[in-house]
Amino acid sequence: MRLSDADILFVPGKGNSGPGHWQRRWAERFSTGSVVEQENWSRPDRQQWVGVLQHEIMMATRPVVLIGHSLGVTTIAHTAALLADTKVRGAFLVAPSDPERDRGVARGVKTFAPVPTDPLPFPSMLIASSNDIYCSLERAAEFATAWGSDFHVAGEMGHINADSGHGPWPEGLMMLTRLMQRLHA
């Protein structure tokens, strides 16, 4: 499947993805890309975030590919459990957050626990960093296994965002291309 054959929905995490973040850069670059805009980026609410994503999927006019980052990955997992006959053809999941972790969890993030462990009803690829403060590599591997996702360890890349030096993130584009080659329209 080509990117131009699908509606590409970018699903940011808590705080949104700023202008230098790879998600925003890709969304501006992809002709069929759009960012799923949440009402409140600083106080995420699972029910509201999932409802917005579910609505965006339903409104899509072509097959859908989801590109999630951080809490956006968890939002995708929760939404997938509610999709019956879905237009979603695949998901590119980057730097998941773990709302169940023991450390202090940011306001609102706890509402996303527990993280679903059912297989996703579409092909997916999960990319994780070995030194992400929001999710251990072991936990990311557990998510990938539960969801049936291809799992890629990106090395020591922090939270794979602009703060960790990943603005355009060309390596991510190459991994997305591999996922897209597996998808059917």
Side-chain angles (χ1 to χ4, degrees):
M1 172 183 278
R2 297 182 324 221
L3 289 171
S4 60
D5 295 334
D7 285 332
I8 311 297
L9 299 181
F10 290 87
V11 188
K14 184 178 187 292
N16 198 354
S17 297
H21 194 288
W22 60 266
Q23 272 192 316
R24 288 286 173 176
R25 290 175 182 232
W26 292 8
E28 291 168 5
R29 185 175 168 189
F30 297 175
S31 63
T32 62
S34 63
V35 176
V36 175
E37 298 289 352
Q38 296 293 347
E39 185 176 315
N40 191 335
W41 289 109
S42 59
R43 296 186 83 174
D45 175 78
R46 180 176 86 191
Q47 185 175 359
Q48 193 268 331
W49 279 34
V50 166
V52 168
L53 179 55
Q54 199 172 12
H55 175 76
E56 292 295 321
I57 291 168
M58 289 186 322
M59 297 306 294
T61 58
R62 292 177 283 204
V64 172
V65 175
L66 302 170
I67 299 180
H69 179 259
S70 191
L71 195 59
V73 171
T74 312
T75 302
I76 290 169
H78 280 291
T79 304
L82 303 174
L83 301 174
D85 185 21
T86 181
K87 299 177 197 173
V88 178
R89 297 297 184 265
F92 188 71
L93 311 169
V94 181
S97 63
D98 183 5
E100 299 171 28
R101 71 185 191 283
D102 296 330
R103 302 189 288 293
V105 175
R107 183 177 263 166
V109 174
K110 274 272 195 221
T111 68
F112 287 79
V115 176
T117 55
D118 291 332
L120 298 178
F122 39 76
S124 60
M125 179 183 290
L126 190 145
I127 294 89
S129 167
S130 58
N131 64 340
D132 190 335
I133 63 169
Y134 297 106
C135 185
S136 71
L137 190 59
E138 295 78 18
R139 187 72 165 135
E142 289 175 16
F143 292 151
T145 300
W147 298 335
S149 302
D150 290 346
F151 184 58
H152 295 276
V153 179
E156 293 184 0
M157 294 180 61
H159 196 48
I160 313 178
N161 58 9
D163 290 343
S164 63
H166 299 89
W169 194 36
E171 301 87 359
L173 279 173
M174 289 189 296
M175 288 185 270
L176 175 60
T177 300
R178 281 191 295 211
L179 174 65
M180 295 301 294
Q181 290 171 343
R182 292 182 34 218
L183 306 181
H184 304 288

